[in-house]
Amino acid sequence: MARRNNIWANLDWFSIILYLILVFMGWINIYAAVYNEEHSSILDMTQRYGKQLIWIGAALVIGFTLIIIDSKFYVFFAYAFYAITILLLIAVLLFGTKVKGATSWFQLGGIAIQPAEFVKFTTALALSKYLSSYNFKMHRFQSLLTIGAILLLPVLLIFMQNDTGSALVISVFILVLFREGLSGSVLFLAFISALIFILTLVLSPLHTIFTLSIGALLFHYFMRQKLSESLKALGIYASLSAVFLLAGPIFKLGEQQVHLLLFASILSAIIFAIYTLRKGLYNLLIVLALYIGLVLMTFSVDYVVNNVLQPHQQSRINELLGISSDPTGVGWNVNQSKIAIGSGGFSGKGFLKGTQTKFDFVPEQSTDFIFCTVGEEWGFIGTTTVIMLFLFLLLRLLYLAERQRSTFSRVYGYSVACILFFHLVINVGMTIGLAPVIGIPLPFFSYGGSSLWSFTILLFIFLRLDASRAEKLSH
């Protein structure tokens, strides 16, 4: 009994209070988003806010149950939980219900369950288990291969369900790996790859390669922090490129010939940069391989966009980047969301007084676009309050993760923080037009049992691990 009392005393109640505040605010805003004078009771169980109240009650029971379970249970069964959710992802492909183009739901009577929501915390558990295993070393090939398998398996299965948003969430685990010793070069390379993808859509492949070459030189600086040599290499590249571009019309060179000359200028700059490292052929081959790989990626973007992405995904990306404009079609949600948030002004229109909300201008306003309800009815003050509450929770989770004595608990804690951070940034970014609409919920706010339960499980497992941080967790 004394040990159990210690668990409750050691719980981080600050995080729990923030969780309860966010859940309560989410429920109130769901009520505002779907309010109907014919169903004015906030306890009407036939409406979404009434159903959400049931999900909240179940979430509190789940949270309580997770706290009273021994923390070693999560360590011991980490791989088992991961395997179960992988099997569920396979099963939903075979027996799931198709909703809005995605085959990612199990329909059980009046309840819909989305396994992709739960795979987030099981992947975090499996990754934590592996990274905390005996004699683990990050940069061994076998280690990287295993980590890649743990992360890519759910991504592939979720992509097959046509649920891009949930699949992209897994990418945030690279930040966790970076904290655990993964080379910063990998993180930098991932950033450059994402930048190339965007630039290739906005610009021509040739202009993207110009930017790519600058990225390669920045990579050189990032590796050795020799700014003077990088600037010299950049000067060589810029000078040769300018000469070749001017020489093209003068000597009536064809486009392909100009491209080859530009490639030559880029390679000359890279070779000079590598030469300054004085490390010989090995570094030269590494950087050239990276550069050639990124060049190939540049020319493959069109294929990926046209043959891998769905038409609605292509349209959303084009709308976001300004390549095309369809304010009455694919851009409707985002445009109406921005109007709703902007119309709220500083202090908002008041509770239940949002005109954009009342006339249903914004589809999915109680789910993916719940944040625009906050903006319209509570204004800048309300949106800032919500973001600050999330920020306090994220900072608190980082603090708790860093104080863990167990590698398992630390990795899991950082996973929780990173997943919540990704959802917050992308969801808010969607509503204000700074991120593509990929259909991921705002944690603790958006309507839905699967979402609320998965985030509750994600958070409360970590709070239970933190409460027993003085114990030794066997792996």
Side-chain angles (χ1 to χ4, degrees):
M1 181 63 69
R3 180 176 174 273
R4 181 160 296 180
N5 290 336
N6 288 336
I7 292 301
W8 291 104
N10 291 334
L11 274 175
D12 186 64
W13 289 100
F14 181 71
S15 297
I16 294 177
I17 291 172
L18 287 174
Y19 163 81
L20 293 173
I21 292 173
L22 288 169
V23 169
F24 176 76
M25 291 180 69
W27 179 51
I28 292 296
N29 281 281
I30 291 171
Y31 175 70
V34 300
Y35 175 76
N36 186 331
E37 292 182 356
E38 297 179 1
H39 301 272
S40 58
S41 173
I42 199 169
L43 300 178
D44 189 341
M45 297 303 165
T46 64
Q47 300 299 300
R48 282 195 166 189
Y49 44 83
K51 294 177 182 178
Q52 186 72 5
L53 188 60
I54 297 175
W55 309 148
I56 291 173
L60 296 178
V61 173
I62 291 171
F64 175 81
T65 305
L66 293 171
I67 288 173
I68 62 176
I69 294 175
D70 193 300
S71 57
K72 295 179 182 178
F73 173 82
Y74 304 115
V75 182
F76 186 80
F77 289 103
Y79 290 146
F81 289 142
Y82 176 77
I84 290 171
T85 52
I86 292 297
L87 290 175
L88 288 175
L89 290 178
I90 297 172
V92 80
L93 286 170
L94 301 174
F95 311 109
T97 302
K98 196 169 188 177
V99 178
K100 296 177 182 178
T103 311
S104 55
W105 298 83
F106 284 121
Q107 195 71 38
L108 305 173
I111 300 176
I113 302 295
Q114 187 179 16
E117 289 291 338
F118 298 95
V119 82
K120 298 168 190 175
F121 82 84
T122 61
T123 301
L125 286 172
L127 187 66
S128 303
K129 174 87 170 181
Y130 183 68
L131 265 61
S132 61
S133 59
Y134 177 73
N135 203 28
F136 168 80
K137 296 194 181 300
M138 176 64 75
H139 291 99
R140 286 192 308 191
F141 178 76
Q142 181 182 356
S143 299
L144 294 174
L145 193 63
T146 304
I147 291 171
I150 291 173
L151 299 181
L152 289 177
L153 182 56
V155 168
L156 293 175
L157 291 172
I158 296 172
F159 263 127
M160 292 172 66
Q161 299 171 15
N162 198 24
D163 184 6
T164 308
S166 297
L168 290 177
V169 174
I170 306 298
S171 66
V172 80
F173 282 103
I174 192 173
L175 298 177
V176 181
L177 298 175
F178 177 65
R179 166 59 184 83
E180 293 303 311
L182 185 67
S183 172
S185 300
V186 177
L187 192 61
F188 183 77
L189 190 61
F191 170 76
I192 290 295
S193 299
L195 182 63
I196 290 167
F197 183 85
I198 295 172
L199 288 174
T200 304
L201 292 176
V202 177
L203 307 173
S204 67
L206 179 60
H207 288 95
T208 303
I209 290 171
F210 290 164
T211 307
L212 179 61
S213 62
I214 296 175
L217 297 174
L218 288 175
F219 183 74
H220 161 256
Y221 168 68
F222 187 80
M223 285 196 304
R224 296 301 176 191
Q225 287 78 44
K226 293 185 178 181
L227 182 60
S228 59
E229 285 81 357
S230 296
L231 290 176
K232 290 176 184 177
L234 183 59
I236 292 173
Y237 159 69
S239 300
L240 290 174
S241 297
V243 170
F244 294 145
L245 286 172
L246 291 173
I250 295 174
F251 295 100
K252 297 182 180 180
L253 299 177
E255 184 178 0
Q256 291 184 346
Q257 292 173 307
V258 174
H259 285 189
L260 289 174
L261 290 173
L262 290 172
F263 278 125
S265 67
I266 294 167
L267 292 177
S268 299
I270 292 177
I271 291 171
F272 173 82
I274 296 301
Y275 175 76
T276 61
L277 295 178
R278 303 189 186 283
K279 292 291 183 180
L281 183 61
Y282 178 72
N283 280 327
L284 176 61
L285 293 176
I286 289 178
V287 176
L288 285 179
L290 287 173
Y291 179 72
I292 292 171
L294 293 175
V295 168
L296 293 175
M297 176 184 171
T298 300
F299 287 101
S300 67
V301 168
D302 284 340
Y303 176 83
V304 172
V305 170
N306 295 323
N307 296 278
V308 177
L309 297 182
Q310 299 295 319
H312 69 279
Q313 295 167 339
Q314 299 173 25
S315 300
R316 288 172 178 175
I317 292 174
N318 290 336
E319 182 79 20
L320 174 68
L321 298 177
I323 299 172
S324 62
S325 179
D326 186 12
T328 60
V330 70
W332 175 264
N333 284 27
V334 175
N335 287 334
Q336 295 302 318
S337 175
K338 290 192 288 186
I339 291 172
I341 294 173
S343 66
F346 183 74
S347 58
K349 297 177 179 177
F351 185 53
L352 301 181
K353 295 181 180 179
T355 53
Q356 291 289 109
T357 298
K358 297 301 160 288
F359 294 104
D360 294 327
F361 281 108
V362 185
E364 310 299 332
Q365 195 160 337
S366 64
T367 53
D368 298 342
F369 283 84
I370 188 71
F371 189 73
C372 72
T373 303
V374 180
E376 184 178 21
E377 299 196 350
W378 304 102
F380 177 78
I381 294 175
T383 54
T384 302
T385 300
V386 170
I387 291 174
M388 291 303 294
L389 286 170
F390 273 108
L391 181 61
F392 290 149
L393 178 60
L394 290 172
L395 292 175
R396 185 64 179 177
L397 291 175
L398 292 176
Y399 166 76
L400 296 181
E402 200 56 46
R403 76 177 183 179
Q404 299 305 306
R405 299 180 182 181
S406 161
T407 301
F408 180 92
S409 299
R410 183 181 68 246
V411 173
Y412 186 80
Y414 271 98
S415 299
V416 175
C418 288
I419 291 171
L420 293 178
F421 172 76
F422 183 89
H423 272 268
L424 173 65
V425 170
I426 298 300
N427 184 275
V428 173
M430 289 190 321
T431 61
I432 60 178
L434 294 180
V437 180
I438 58 175
I440 63 172
L442 184 62
F444 315 123
F445 258 72
S446 295
Y447 170 79
S450 293
S451 169
L452 178 61
W453 294 347
S454 67
F455 286 123
T456 299
I457 295 171
L458 182 75
L459 176 62
F460 275 78
I461 287 178
F462 178 55
L463 294 179
R464 179 61 181 87
L465 292 171
D466 175 69
S468 58
R469 62 187 177 277
E471 301 177 14
K472 182 176 181 182
L473 301 180
S474 59
H475 302 144

